[in-house]
Amino acid sequence: MTRKEEKRNLETIPVGSLGVIALKGCKTLGEKVDYYLVKWRAERESEHKDSLAFSGYQRDTYLLGVEIPRFGSGEAKGIIQESVRGDDLYIMVDVCNYSMTYCLCGHENHMSPDDHYQNLKRIIAAVGGKARRITVIMPFLYESRQHKRTARESLDCAIALQELVSMGVDNIITFDAHDARVQNAIPLHGFETVQPAYQFIKGLLRNVKGLIPDTDHMMVISPDEGGMSRAIYIANVLGLDIGMFYKRRDYTRIVNGRNPIVAHEFLGSSVEGKDMIIIDDMISSGESAIEVARALKARNANRIFICATFGLFTGGLERFDKAYEEGVISRVLTTNLIYQTPELLSREWYINCDMSKYIAYLIDTLNHDSSISDLLDPSEKIQNIVARYKEGDF
């Protein structure tokens, strides 16, 4: 931890004793976050750390024990195994972890996002309003793909946000929300959508040789019009040109809940001979990302790197294996904010971007009621890491 961060955190006393609850599907990420918090607070020197306001500041773990047992019928309840009275609670949940199972009338059921969301509500209900403050860290925002109404249909994400704040949640932290405007559903409560731009660039520079981040050798691509803000940010920070694809859809029919894409049309300058960074919020089936990569290759692009915050890979990994073998893609980067299969982690084309340290910074800073503005805009850190890469010091 740098001196700047130590000083920032020590200027204020904690809001309350820190408690982190990592729900079952988020246990691995929670343990990594806890490791950093324990390490930093053990090393941190403060003349006030023996005062009452810093009671319980240095501990062996900040993870609280919770259980969510189920009855034979599949119904469940949330149990917190220690006191949370007066605590500053951070509840971490991964609604995409389909590897979690439970027994329902003798059958094994895989947990859906709905099941994980219900478990989150059970733990909030178990707190019983006794915590000083509750912050929900939900990297993949529940129902965020159902964020707007185009017909007579439900607005699930907005309803979920309102439900959480009505239960006493003060802040919601998510990553790369599909549409950040959904926060308008809870305008009087804290809502932060965090971008992992720094982690993507660090992952690329650490794992790929021969990158030249300038306008003659690299370009940033948005695979659709909705993701332009992400691409614009990275392009501006790195000083690169930008290109965009827009999707021509068949609005006469619906396949798998959406209008099928007919073609990807490109807007932008020449990509010939340049390395491409395709940036998006998620890889679902991966069909669109690979089609965009093929379209860029047809325009004589050089290496293609796909960066997406959430790697769902709902259609399996074979599509990406084939694209890698054919030389269509060079690397795929996603974060560990959601469940990753062992098969994905073993792939040669995959780069895992660890977000645990970043989440620990957010929790540590918010517990001191300090500003997280510099954490939300990592442009300075990106410039430093690129400079080090150019000097061969990375």
Side-chain angles (χ1 to χ4, degrees), residues 80-337:
I80 300 175
Q81 296 166 324
E82 51 198 289
S83 172
V84 294
R85 188 178 294 275
D87 281 6
D88 184 19
L89 280 186
Y90 295 81
I91 306 175
M92 298 174 62
V93 58
D94 174 11
V95 299
C96 294
N97 194 336
Y98 59 88
S99 72
M100 298 286 109
T101 60
Y102 63 92
C103 188
L104 172 62
C105 298
H107 300 282
E108 185 181 60
N109 251 25
H110 283 264
M111 290 179 70
S112 71
D114 295 341
D115 292 316
H116 287 291
Y117 176 65
Q118 286 301 121
N119 281 353
L120 170 64
K121 291 198 296 181
R122 289 178 178 116
I123 292 303
I124 295 169
V127 171
K130 302 299 187 292
R132 179 75 52 85
R133 184 173 69 178
I134 297 175
T135 300
V136 169
I137 299 176
M138 186 187 288
F140 186 98
L141 186 61
Y142 174 68
E143 288 289 358
S144 58
R145 298 178 78 174
Q146 185 49 35
H147 60 96
K148 62 183 178 181
R149 179 175 282 157
T150 54
R152 192 174 291 112
E153 57 191 34
S154 57
L155 287 170
D156 295 45
C157 189
I159 290 169
L161 292 176
Q162 291 182 351
E163 197 171 20
L164 289 177
V165 300
S166 71
M167 292 183 76
V169 172
D170 296 279
N171 300 298
I172 295 166
I173 297 175
T174 188
F175 284 77
D176 211 348
H178 196 61
D179 188 340
R181 289 174 295 184
V182 77
Q183 68 187 287
N184 292 336
I186 49 166
L188 301 180
H189 290 79
F191 181 96
E192 298 291 350
T193 175
V194 188
Q195 300 289 336
Y198 171 70
Q199 284 77 13
F200 283 147
I201 292 166
K202 184 168 75 170
L204 263 181
L205 298 180
R206 275 206 173 140
N207 293 279
V208 181
K209 303 298 179 189
L211 291 172
I212 306 173
D214 62 31
T215 52
D216 294 326
H217 299 90
M218 285 185 83
M219 196 166 172
V220 180
I221 303 293
S222 175
D224 55 41
E225 61 277 16
M228 276 298 285
S229 60
R230 298 178 196 93
I232 288 169
Y233 179 81
I234 289 182
N236 284 343
V237 172
L238 295 178
L240 305 178
D241 287 337
I242 193 168
M244 185 195 88
F245 282 84
Y246 69 91
K247 297 168 182 173
R248 276 204 291 124
R249 294 183 181 272
D250 181 358
Y251 285 102
T252 63
R253 59 199 181 101
I254 294 175
V255 179
N256 294 329
R258 61 176 188 167
N259 301 105
I261 298 164
V262 178
H264 288 85
E265 305 289 354
F266 181 66
L267 299 173
S269 57
S270 172
V271 302
E272 189 170 351
K274 296 179 183 178
D275 291 332
M276 301 285 114
I277 300 175
I278 301 173
I279 184 83
D280 208 355
D281 62 334
M282 73 176 77
I283 294 171
S284 186
S285 67
E287 186 180 343
S288 290
I290 290 174
E291 278 187 31
V292 165
R294 289 188 190 281
L296 290 169
K297 276 291 182 184
R299 290 169 171 79
N300 298 318
N302 191 21
R303 293 175 295 181
I304 294 177
F305 308 104
I306 300 173
C307 300
T309 308
F310 306 107
L312 300 172
F313 299 102
T314 57
L317 303 176
E318 293 74 20
R319 183 180 277 123
F320 287 87
D321 291 337
K322 186 181 177 188
Y324 179 65
E325 285 165 14
E326 293 173 355
V328 175
I329 59 172
S330 293
R331 289 286 187 274
V332 177
L333 296 86
T334 72
T335 69
N336 63 339
L337 291 169

